[in-house]
Amino acid sequence: MARSLNKLKAKAVEKLAKPGRHSDGGGLYFQITDGKVKGRRWVFMYSQPGTGKRVEMGLGGYPAVSLAQAREKAKAAREALADGIDPREAKAKARSVPTFGEVADQYMSDNERMWTDPEHRRQWRTTLETYAAPLWSKPVDAITTDDVLSVLNPTGQPNPIWKRIPTTASRVRGRIEKVLDAAKARGFRTGENPAAWRGHLNLILPPLPKVARHHPAMHYDDVPAFMARLREREELPARLLEFTVLTGGRSSEAREAEWSEIDLKAAIWTIPAERMGKTKREHRVPLSARAIEILRGVEPLRDGRYVFPGERRGRPFAHMAMPKVLERMGVTDATVHGLRSSFSDWGCERAKFPFDLVDMCLAHTVGNATSRAYRRGDALDDRRKVMEAWSDYCAGKSNIVPLRALGGSNA
């Protein structure tokens, strides 16, 4: 029997591409399908106790379930058969305790409605599925401190995420902790949380390096030259980035802009409340002449509701589209979001516009609750002068609307 087991090698499994079942022995097979639905997964074939019927039981997809893990599952199935138990029944009984992945999916599903930022929702799922993959198929009550450390700071790995990407690693740890807390609240775990920081992992892991929390921003003196280079680029993501900078918008607001929100005649972009993140208030963006020119330029590409249609039909550009433009331009010391800070610094320091007015251009909440209750307008006309002046500045023109034209002061 020993010779008929463990026929496959881990490296060979990684390279296997031929559709069909590849036997590891003892009823365990690596199955590759190549139809409309492609897949690579582990299956266990056996004769059902009592009926003798040939039965297939799935053991999980590859590479989420490794060769070694598949062998452990097949071993458990053979042991159940030796006791006259159908492995599928044993598996169903064992699954009364969910896996970490199942609890994580449920936790995200329960909480996503409260996460107003689409990017935050995406990051929650992506970081857990990517970095916490070793935990995904484990029963949630079996996860230990060593398991958590194997994700954050695995022994023998020269460049673990705890050292390489400390901010992300810290978030991953916190998200694992929340999932395990949810499992405990639902009665699937007992005892202390192995991902807890204070009084536990902070006594084991080295302290995280201090990381600046702000988004790297380009100095406004460098913006005109950057924008001149950007205008020379012909790809659509470059126009999206230019439009984002000229409007002071957030990445998600610009990427997901819809034609129904644009009034070209009035030169206004109205972002509905549901797309305005934390503020949850409609925001009207006055469009400069150059912003209108960009919209006129992309209008012939109109194919659906999005102003800047992405590569996938009916979808906007992915969140990395604009950062990739910066990368191709060799810009390493600024981010898309940081360019909002460039606008803010220019508006307050160089152009000397009132601070509150610049903040209103960025859709920041201005003033306390009382002052906001008395402010009925959104200073659209004054903000239009600010955004036109910003557009001129980005184009290398030096003219700035004087404060008296706005009827305000910088006090």
mmCIF file of all heavy atoms in Angstrom, residues 318-340:
data_model
loop_
_atom_site.group_PDB
_atom_site.id
_atom_site.type_symbol
_atom_site.label_atom_id
_atom_site.label_comp_id
_atom_site.label_asym_id
_atom_site.label_seq_id
_atom_site.Cartn_x
_atom_site.Cartn_y
_atom_site.Cartn_z
ATOM 1 N N ALA A 318 -9.573 50.342 -13.367
ATOM 2 C CA ALA A 318 -9.191 49.784 -12.072
ATOM 3 C C ALA A 318 -8.463 50.849 -11.258
ATOM 4 O O ALA A 318 -7.952 51.843 -11.801
ATOM 5 C CB ALA A 318 -8.304 48.558 -12.259
ATOM 6 N N HIS A 319 -8.398 50.634 -9.949
ATOM 7 C CA HIS A 319 -7.827 51.650 -9.053
ATOM 8 C C HIS A 319 -6.353 51.912 -9.322
ATOM 9 O O HIS A 319 -5.827 52.953 -8.955
ATOM 10 C CB HIS A 319 -8.026 51.229 -7.590
ATOM 11 C CG HIS A 319 -7.094 50.156 -7.130
ATOM 12 N ND1 HIS A 319 -7.232 48.829 -7.492
ATOM 13 C CD2 HIS A 319 -5.983 50.222 -6.345
ATOM 14 C CE1 HIS A 319 -6.265 48.134 -6.950
ATOM 15 N NE2 HIS A 319 -5.497 48.929 -6.262
ATOM 16 N N MET A 320 -5.659 50.956 -9.985
ATOM 17 C CA MET A 320 -4.229 51.128 -10.248
ATOM 18 C C MET A 320 -3.942 51.836 -11.566
ATOM 19 O O MET A 320 -2.785 52.072 -11.898
ATOM 20 C CB MET A 320 -3.533 49.761 -10.249
ATOM 21 C CG MET A 320 -3.331 49.156 -8.871
ATOM 22 S SD MET A 320 -2.366 50.219 -7.777
ATOM 23 C CE MET A 320 -0.770 50.198 -8.612
ATOM 24 N N ALA A 321 -4.971 52.197 -12.316
ATOM 25 C CA ALA A 321 -4.753 52.800 -13.637
ATOM 26 C C ALA A 321 -3.949 54.087 -13.538
ATOM 27 O O ALA A 321 -2.974 54.289 -14.285
ATOM 28 C CB ALA A 321 -6.090 53.052 -14.328
ATOM 29 N N MET A 322 -4.316 54.990 -12.637
ATOM 30 C CA MET A 322 -3.606 56.270 -12.524
ATOM 31 C C MET A 322 -2.238 56.123 -11.861
ATOM 32 O O MET A 322 -1.257 56.730 -12.326
ATOM 33 C CB MET A 322 -4.485 57.295 -11.815
ATOM 34 C CG MET A 322 -5.636 57.777 -12.693
ATOM 35 S SD MET A 322 -6.568 59.155 -11.989
ATOM 36 C CE MET A 322 -7.626 58.285 -10.832
ATOM 37 N N PRO A 323 -2.114 55.323 -10.779
ATOM 38 C CA PRO A 323 -0.763 55.097 -10.243
ATOM 39 C C PRO A 323 0.195 54.524 -11.275
ATOM 40 O O PRO A 323 1.388 54.840 -11.258
ATOM 41 C CB PRO A 323 -1.011 54.108 -9.094
ATOM 42 C CG PRO A 323 -2.394 54.411 -8.620
ATOM 43 C CD PRO A 323 -3.146 54.769 -9.877
ATOM 44 N N LYS A 324 -0.327 53.699 -12.190
ATOM 45 C CA LYS A 324 0.534 53.143 -13.232
ATOM 46 C C LYS A 324 1.032 54.239 -14.180
ATOM 47 O O LYS A 324 2.155 54.160 -14.690
ATOM 48 C CB LYS A 324 -0.226 52.077 -14.032
ATOM 49 C CG LYS A 324 -0.429 50.773 -13.284
ATOM 50 C CD LYS A 324 0.873 50.017 -13.108
ATOM 51 C CE LYS A 324 0.648 48.659 -12.485
ATOM 52 N NZ LYS A 324 1.944 47.943 -12.251
ATOM 53 N N VAL A 325 0.208 55.253 -14.431
ATOM 54 C CA VAL A 325 0.654 56.378 -15.260
ATOM 55 C C VAL A 325 1.815 57.088 -14.573
ATOM 56 O O VAL A 325 2.837 57.397 -15.199
ATOM 57 C CB VAL A 325 -0.506 57.366 -15.521
ATOM 58 C CG1 VAL A 325 0.015 58.611 -16.253
ATOM 59 C CG2 VAL A 325 -1.608 56.702 -16.330
ATOM 60 N N LEU A 326 1.668 57.352 -13.260
ATOM 61 C CA LEU A 326 2.759 57.983 -12.506
ATOM 62 C C LEU A 326 4.018 57.137 -12.575
ATOM 63 O O LEU A 326 5.129 57.660 -12.738
ATOM 64 C CB LEU A 326 2.342 58.188 -11.050
ATOM 65 C CG LEU A 326 1.227 59.203 -10.771
ATOM 66 C CD1 LEU A 326 0.902 59.233 -9.286
ATOM 67 C CD2 LEU A 326 1.632 60.596 -11.254
ATOM 68 N N GLU A 327 3.832 55.829 -12.464
ATOM 69 C CA GLU A 327 4.981 54.918 -12.507
ATOM 70 C C GLU A 327 5.685 54.989 -13.849
ATOM 71 O O GLU A 327 6.919 55.050 -13.922
ATOM 72 C CB GLU A 327 4.490 53.493 -12.227
ATOM 73 C CG GLU A 327 5.590 52.445 -12.174
ATOM 74 C CD GLU A 327 5.036 51.056 -11.918
ATOM 75 O OE1 GLU A 327 4.251 50.901 -10.959
ATOM 76 O OE2 GLU A 327 5.376 50.122 -12.669
ATOM 77 N N ARG A 328 4.899 54.984 -14.929
ATOM 78 C CA ARG A 328 5.496 55.052 -16.272
ATOM 79 C C ARG A 328 6.186 56.389 -16.513
ATOM 80 O O ARG A 328 7.125 56.476 -17.314
ATOM 81 C CB ARG A 328 4.423 54.792 -17.339
ATOM 82 C CG ARG A 328 3.935 53.362 -17.405
ATOM 83 C CD ARG A 328 3.105 53.104 -18.648
ATOM 84 N NE ARG A 328 1.810 53.765 -18.611
ATOM 85 C CZ ARG A 328 0.702 53.223 -18.107
ATOM 86 N NH1 ARG A 328 0.746 52.018 -17.567
ATOM 87 N NH2 ARG A 328 -0.446 53.885 -18.132
ATOM 88 N N MET A 329 5.729 57.431 -15.823
ATOM 89 C CA MET A 329 6.359 58.748 -15.963
ATOM 90 C C MET A 329 7.568 58.907 -15.046
ATOM 91 O O MET A 329 8.218 59.955 -15.067
ATOM 92 C CB MET A 329 5.326 59.840 -15.657
ATOM 93 C CG MET A 329 4.193 59.927 -16.672
ATOM 94 S SD MET A 329 2.952 61.180 -16.224
ATOM 95 C CE MET A 329 3.891 62.700 -16.471
ATOM 96 N N GLY A 330 7.830 57.886 -14.248
ATOM 97 C CA GLY A 330 8.981 57.947 -13.356
ATOM 98 C C GLY A 330 8.739 58.774 -12.107
ATOM 99 O O GLY A 330 9.698 59.167 -11.435
ATOM 100 N N VAL A 331 7.471 59.043 -11.775
ATOM 101 C CA VAL A 331 7.138 59.812 -10.573
ATOM 102 C C VAL A 331 7.079 58.846 -9.393
ATOM 103 O O VAL A 331 6.171 58.018 -9.310
ATOM 104 C CB VAL A 331 5.791 60.549 -10.726
ATOM 105 C CG1 VAL A 331 5.435 61.286 -9.440
ATOM 106 C CG2 VAL A 331 5.859 61.522 -11.894
ATOM 107 N N THR A 332 8.032 58.937 -8.499
ATOM 108 C CA THR A 332 8.113 58.016 -7.361
ATOM 109 C C THR A 332 7.858 58.693 -6.020
ATOM 110 O O THR A 332 7.750 58.017 -5.001
ATOM 111 C CB THR A 332 9.497 57.338 -7.320
ATOM 112 O OG1 THR A 332 10.503 58.352 -7.207
ATOM 113 C CG2 THR A 332 9.744 56.518 -8.580
ATOM 114 N N ASP A 333 7.787 60.025 -6.012
ATOM 115 C CA ASP A 333 7.674 60.746 -4.748
ATOM 116 C C ASP A 333 6.315 61.406 -4.565
ATOM 117 O O ASP A 333 6.153 62.338 -3.784
ATOM 118 C CB ASP A 333 8.775 61.811 -4.645
ATOM 119 C CG ASP A 333 8.742 62.791 -5.815
ATOM 120 O OD1 ASP A 333 7.975 62.543 -6.763
ATOM 121 O OD2 ASP A 333 9.484 63.787 -5.765
ATOM 122 N N ALA A 334 5.306 60.937 -5.311
ATOM 123 C CA ALA A 334 3.961 61.507 -5.185
ATOM 124 C C ALA A 334 2.938 60.446 -5.553
ATOM 125 O O ALA A 334 3.216 59.534 -6.341
ATOM 126 C CB ALA A 334 3.799 62.731 -6.078
ATOM 127 N N THR A 335 1.740 60.564 -4.975
ATOM 128 C CA THR A 335 0.630 59.668 -5.278
ATOM 129 C C THR A 335 -0.506 60.467 -5.893
ATOM 130 O O THR A 335 -0.504 61.702 -5.863
ATOM 131 C CB THR A 335 0.120 58.967 -4.008
ATOM 132 O OG1 THR A 335 -0.421 59.965 -3.121
ATOM 133 C CG2 THR A 335 1.238 58.208 -3.303
ATOM 134 N N VAL A 336 -1.478 59.750 -6.436
ATOM 135 C CA VAL A 336 -2.641 60.423 -7.009
ATOM 136 C C VAL A 336 -3.350 61.222 -5.929
ATOM 137 O O VAL A 336 -3.686 62.395 -6.115
ATOM 138 C CB VAL A 336 -3.604 59.392 -7.651
ATOM 139 C CG1 VAL A 336 -4.855 60.093 -8.182
ATOM 140 C CG2 VAL A 336 -2.903 58.618 -8.757
ATOM 141 N N HIS A 337 -3.561 60.611 -4.773
ATOM 142 C CA HIS A 337 -4.234 61.320 -3.682
ATOM 143 C C HIS A 337 -3.373 62.485 -3.188
ATOM 144 O O HIS A 337 -3.902 63.527 -2.793
ATOM 145 C CB HIS A 337 -4.526 60.362 -2.526
ATOM 146 C CG HIS A 337 -5.512 60.902 -1.538
ATOM 147 N ND1 HIS A 337 -6.875 60.763 -1.686
ATOM 148 C CD2 HIS A 337 -5.326 61.599 -0.389
ATOM 149 C CE1 HIS A 337 -7.492 61.346 -0.676
ATOM 150 N NE2 HIS A 337 -6.584 61.861 0.126
ATOM 151 N N GLY A 338 -2.057 62.303 -3.222
ATOM 152 C CA GLY A 338 -1.170 63.363 -2.777
ATOM 153 C C GLY A 338 -1.267 64.617 -3.630
ATOM 154 O O GLY A 338 -0.980 65.726 -3.160
ATOM 155 N N LEU A 339 -1.705 64.472 -4.883
ATOM 156 C CA LEU A 339 -1.862 65.638 -5.754
ATOM 157 C C LEU A 339 -3.004 66.540 -5.290
ATOM 158 O O LEU A 339 -3.046 67.719 -5.640
ATOM 159 C CB LEU A 339 -2.071 65.185 -7.197
ATOM 160 C CG LEU A 339 -0.784 64.695 -7.891
ATOM 161 C CD1 LEU A 339 -1.105 63.849 -9.108
ATOM 162 C CD2 LEU A 339 0.106 65.867 -8.259
ATOM 163 N N ARG A 340 -3.924 65.993 -4.487
ATOM 164 C CA ARG A 340 -4.928 66.850 -3.852
ATOM 165 C C ARG A 340 -4.259 67.788 -2.854
ATOM 166 O O ARG A 340 -4.652 68.942 -2.703
ATOM 167 C CB ARG A 340 -5.985 65.986 -3.141
ATOM 168 C CG ARG A 340 -7.038 65.437 -4.069
ATOM 169 C CD ARG A 340 -7.872 64.339 -3.436
ATOM 170 N NE ARG A 340 -8.491 64.694 -2.170
ATOM 171 C CZ ARG A 340 -9.681 65.273 -2.034
ATOM 172 N NH1 ARG A 340 -10.386 65.604 -3.122
ATOM 173 N NH2 ARG A 340 -10.184 65.516 -0.838
#
